Amino acid sequence: MAFLELSNVNFSAQDRVLVKNFSYQYEEGKTTALVGPSGDGKSTVLKLSAGLLVPNKGEVSFRGKNIAHMNHKENLEFRREAAVVFQDSALWANQNLFEILELPLRIHFPRMTRKEREERIDQVLKAVGYRKELGFRPSQLSMGEQKLIAFARAIICRPGLLFLDEWTESLDDSAAQRLVRLVRRHQEEGHTVIFVSHDPRLIRSLADHVLMIMGGELYAKLTRDQIESDEDIARYLEQGITA
Ligand SMILES: Nc1ncnc2c1ncn2[C@@H]1O[C@H](COP(=O)(O)OP(=O)(O)OP(=O)(O)O)[C@@H](O)[C@H]1O
Ligand SMILES: [Mg+2]
C-alpha cells in the first residue's frame, strides 16, 4: 500500500486549472523536493498532498485511505502525523506565540499537563533558536521569526510527515542551518519530508527525489543521482527557471 499517493489529481480555482493530471507516490522515509517556476503550482501541489485542498478530480490517499473521505478520528490522526510550514507562515493573528504553539498540543495530546506543554514549547523554541517574548502576536515578529515559529509549531507534535513550503526564505544563514539540522534529524529518524525550495544547495543536500512542476503538471521526476549527473538539471538548479 502506498504511503502517500496522488492519483490523477486535478485542481481548479476560479475557473483556472491550477493542477493537471498529477500522479505521484511519495515514498515513506524519503525526502522529496518540489521545484519549478514561480506561480506554476508548487504550493498548490503541496497543499493537495497534505490534504488541505481537495481535488476536483482524482484523489490523494494516505496509507490507502482517501484523505477527503476520512472520518473525524482518521482525520485527527492524519493531522497529528502530517504537519505543514506554510509559505506565508500562516500564524493566527489574534493569538500570542504561546497560544499558537500550545493549541496543537491541546488538540492532539489532551492529557498533557500545562507543565508538560510548557516544557515541550520551551524545547521546540530552543531547537529553532527563537529566544524572544512569547506574549508577542505574529504581527510583532519579523518574517524570519514568523518562519521559526511556524517551524516550531510544525514539529511540536513530532510528526512523521513534514511539509515545508519555502521554509528557509527570509532566514539568515545560521537560522536556516539550524532548521536544516532539524530536518536532517527528522530524516535520520526515518521520517518523511516533502518540501518546496528554490535553493539548489538545499535541494541537493536534502532531497532523495525531485519533482519538477511546470504549468501545474508533473514535468519530470528525478532521483538524487540524476540531480547530480544531469547537466540540464544541474544548470536549472544553479540558475533557476525564468518563467
Ligand atoms: N485559491 C486560488 N484561487 C485562484 N488562483 C489561485 C489560488 N491559489 C493559487 N492560485 C494560482 O495558482 C497558481 C499556482 O500558485 P502556487 O502558489 O501553487 O504557485 P507556486 O509554484 O507555489 O509559486 P511561488 O514559487 O511563487 O510560491 C498561481 O497562478 C496562483 O495565482
Ligand atoms: Mg509557493
Side-chain angles (χ1 to χ4, degrees):
M1 184 195 303
F3 173 64
L4 179 65
E5 180 172 20
L6 280 75
S7 316
N8 206 16
V9 166
N10 287 263
F11 182 77
S12 317
Q14 292 161 6
D15 294 330
R16 273 183 64 208
V17 179
L18 307 184
V19 173
K20 275 177 244 159
N21 299 327
F22 205 105
S23 294
Y24 185 70
Q25 286 190 10
Y26 295 101
E27 244 184 284
E28 184 167 18
K30 299 286 184 196
T31 295
T32 306
L34 310 182
V35 307
S38 291
D40 270 25
K42 302 179 298 296
S43 295
T44 307
V45 169
L46 190 90
K47 287 180 200 162
L48 285 160
S49 306
L52 297 172
L53 291 173
V54 178
N56 300 89
K57 230 175 72 192
E59 66 173 64
V60 181
S61 54
F62 179 68
R63 300 196 193 284
K65 261 231 142 65
N66 185 340
I67 298 174
H69 296 164
M70 284 178 174
N71 64 30
H72 180 70
K73 185 168 170 281
E74 291 164 339
N75 195 264
L76 202 61
E77 278 166 15
F78 176 64
R79 289 281 139 243
R80 188 178 68 192
E81 191 65 14
V84 185
V85 175
F86 294 93
Q87 185 166 7
D88 62 356
S89 294
L91 303 173
W92 290 288
N94 62 349
Q95 308 272 303
N96 70 34
L97 304 184
F98 184 86
E99 291 162 336
I100 287 170
L101 293 169
E102 191 184 31
L103 187 63
L105 295 174
R106 279 181 180 277
I107 292 172
H108 295 299
F109 300 98
R111 293 208 188 90
M112 247 188 190
T113 63
R114 180 172 172 96
K115 186 161 178 296
E116 286 168 333
R117 289 197 298 271
E118 284 172 357
E119 282 167 6
R120 182 75 75 91
I121 289 169
D122 192 51
Q123 194 184 22
V124 290
L125 288 173
K126 281 211 178 81
V128 300
Y130 179 85
R131 282 184 197 81
K132 293 185 192 158
E133 181 57 49
L134 271 184
F136 280 165
R137 301 258 170 115
S139 61
Q140 293 169 286
L141 302 186
S142 72
M143 297 300 274
E145 287 167 336
Q146 290 185 33
K147 274 274 146 83
L148 295 181
I149 298 298
F151 200 95
R153 175 177 65 180
I155 61 172
I156 200 157
C157 293
R158 300 184 179 149
L161 172 54
L162 254 186
F163 294 92
L164 309 170
D165 198 347
E166 309 269 7
W167 46 296
T168 55
E169 233 181 41
S170 52
L171 292 177
D172 66 65
D173 269 359
S174 79
Q177 280 312 312
R178 202 174 302 117
L179 298 195
V180 168
R181 282 198 297 276
L182 290 173
V183 170
R184 285 240 166 76
R185 197 184 307 159
H186 189 77
Q187 292 178 319
E188 284 158 15
E189 286 165 356
H191 294 157
T192 312
V193 184
I194 298 166
F195 76 89
V196 176
S197 174
H198 290 283
D199 181 345
R201 271 189 325 178
L202 200 66
I203 294 162
R204 280 220 170 88
S205 74
L206 290 175
D208 299 299
H209 303 284
V210 176
L211 304 188
M212 292 178 78
I213 298 172
M214 300 228 204
E217 292 185 81
L218 179 50
Y219 177 80
K221 289 188 263 191
L222 308 156
T223 61
R224 183 192 290 275
D225 292 346
Q226 287 168 311
I227 310 166
E228 276 161 15
S229 63
D230 188 306
E231 277 183 27
D232 287 344
I233 303 306
R235 201 173 323 116
Y236 163 69
L237 288 175
E238 293 308 333
Q239 298 170 359
I241 288 180
T242 42

